[in-house]
Amino acid sequence: MVELVVKDLVAGYGNVSVLHNVSLDVPNGETVALLGTNGNGKSTLMRCIAGLIKPTEGSITLKDGDRQIDLAACSPKQIVEHGIAMVPEGRRLFPLLTVEDNLTLGAYRAEAREKLAESIDFCFTLFPRLAERKTQQAGSMSGGEQQMLAVARALMSDPKLLLVDEPSVGLAPILVSQMIEKIGELNTSRGLTILMAEQNFNQAIKIADKGYIIVHGEIAFASKDATDLRENDMVKSYYLGV
C-alpha cells in the first residue's frame, strides 16, 4: 500500500521559480493525471519527485505501509530503491544497446534483479512488439516502439509507484491512444499506483481516476474523481473544446 503526498512544494532552476506551493496526492492503486500545456511545470514536479531537482520549500512524502519516507531528503538512487520509477519525457534510452539490454539495465534494484526473467516476460506480453525487436538497437526503432521500451524499462525495476512524464510526445494520434490505454492497464495487471503528466487531455482523462490541472506552476484545479475532472467547466472550455 503506497500513497504519494506532495504539499506546498516550491521549486525551480537557480533563481527562477517554477512551482508555487503545489500540493497533490496519489492514492494507492489509482492513476492520477497531472494535466497542463507545455511550460507550466509538469516535468519540474515529476523531476522533484524523482529526486532530480531539490525543492526549496514544501514536502514530498511516500507513505509505504506504516512507513513515511521523506523523498525530498533522498537521492535519486534511494528513491528508486523505495520503489519509485520514472518514464522520462523524451524516453532517454540507451540507443546503441538492444531492447533486451535496455530492459536488463532497468532491473537496477536488488529485488528487481531477482525477478528479471519474470519482468521481461511481463514486458513482452504487455508490448509484444518489443519481443519481436529484442535484439534490435533501441535507437533504430520507431518513436512508438521507443516509448514502449521506455515504459517497459521503468517496469523492470518492479516499482510500486510509476511516474510517467509526457508519454504522448512525438507519437502519432493512434499510437497515443494505444500507449495511454497500456498505461491504464497497469493498475490491474501490475497493481501499480501511477502519476502521469500529460498535455493530451482527451486521452489522459480516459484512464485517470482523478486529476490536477497545473497552470503557471500552480494547481488551478484538483478533481475529486474522474467525473469531476471530465465535467469541470475549465477543462471542457479550455482543453476539450466544448
Side-chain angles (χ1 to χ4, degrees), residues 151-170:
V151 173
R153 184 182 59 183
L155 294 174
M156 288 297 297
S157 71
D158 193 30
K160 302 172 185 176
L161 172 66
L162 183 67
L163 309 173
V164 189
D165 193 6
E166 300 278 16
S168 73
V169 168

Side-chain angles (χ1 to χ4, degrees), residues 172-194:
I174 189 170
L175 294 178
V176 172
S177 180
Q178 293 171 357
M179 179 56 60
I180 298 293
E181 183 181 330
K182 289 292 187 181
I183 292 169
E185 294 174 6
L186 293 172
N187 289 120
T188 52
S189 65
R190 202 71 170 178
L192 284 179
T193 301
I194 300 169

Side-chain angles (χ1 to χ4, degrees), residues 23-25 32-36 210-214 219 221-223 229:
S23 297
L24 58 78
D25 72 285
V32 175
L34 178 65
L35 303 167
K210 68 174 186 176
Y212 296 84
I213 297 176
I214 187 167
I219 299 298
F221 173 69
S223 72
L229 179 63

Side-chain angles (χ1 to χ4, degrees), residues 107-147:
Y108 175 81
R109 300 198 302 146
E111 295 91 334
R113 289 196 294 274
E114 294 174 1
K115 301 178 180 179
L116 181 63
E118 176 187 335
S119 295
I120 286 181
D121 286 344
F122 174 80
C123 290
F124 284 166
T125 300
L126 183 67
F127 298 117
R129 183 62 62 86
L130 295 182
E132 299 170 7
R133 300 281 192 269
K134 65 181 181 180
T135 60
Q136 186 171 333
Q137 286 184 333
S140 68
M141 299 195 302
S142 70
E145 291 166 345
Q146 289 186 28
Q147 188 63 59

Side-chain angles (χ1 to χ4, degrees), residues 87-103:
V87 183
E89 181 181 7
R91 298 149 200 163
R92 304 293 180 88
L93 300 172
F94 298 97
L96 299 182
L97 298 183
T98 66
V99 166
E100 201 159 29
D101 287 341
N102 269 271
L103 292 176

Side-chain angles (χ1 to χ4, degrees), residues 15 54 67 73 76 84 131 138 160 167 171 179 200 209 225 241:
N15 294 325
K54 291 300 180 184
R67 297 189 301 160
I84 299 175
K160 302 172 185 176
L171 300 185
M179 179 56 60
N200 190 319
D209 293 297
D225 52 35

Side-chain angles (χ1 to χ4, degrees), residues 13 19 34 40-49 53 86 89 165-166 197 214:
Y13 304 90
L19 302 178
L34 178 65
N40 281 293
K42 299 189 304 299
S43 292
T44 299
L45 177 55
M46 300 293 267
R47 289 169 65 83
C48 284
I49 297 168
I53 296 173
M86 185 165 81
E89 181 181 7
D165 193 6
E166 300 278 16
I214 187 167

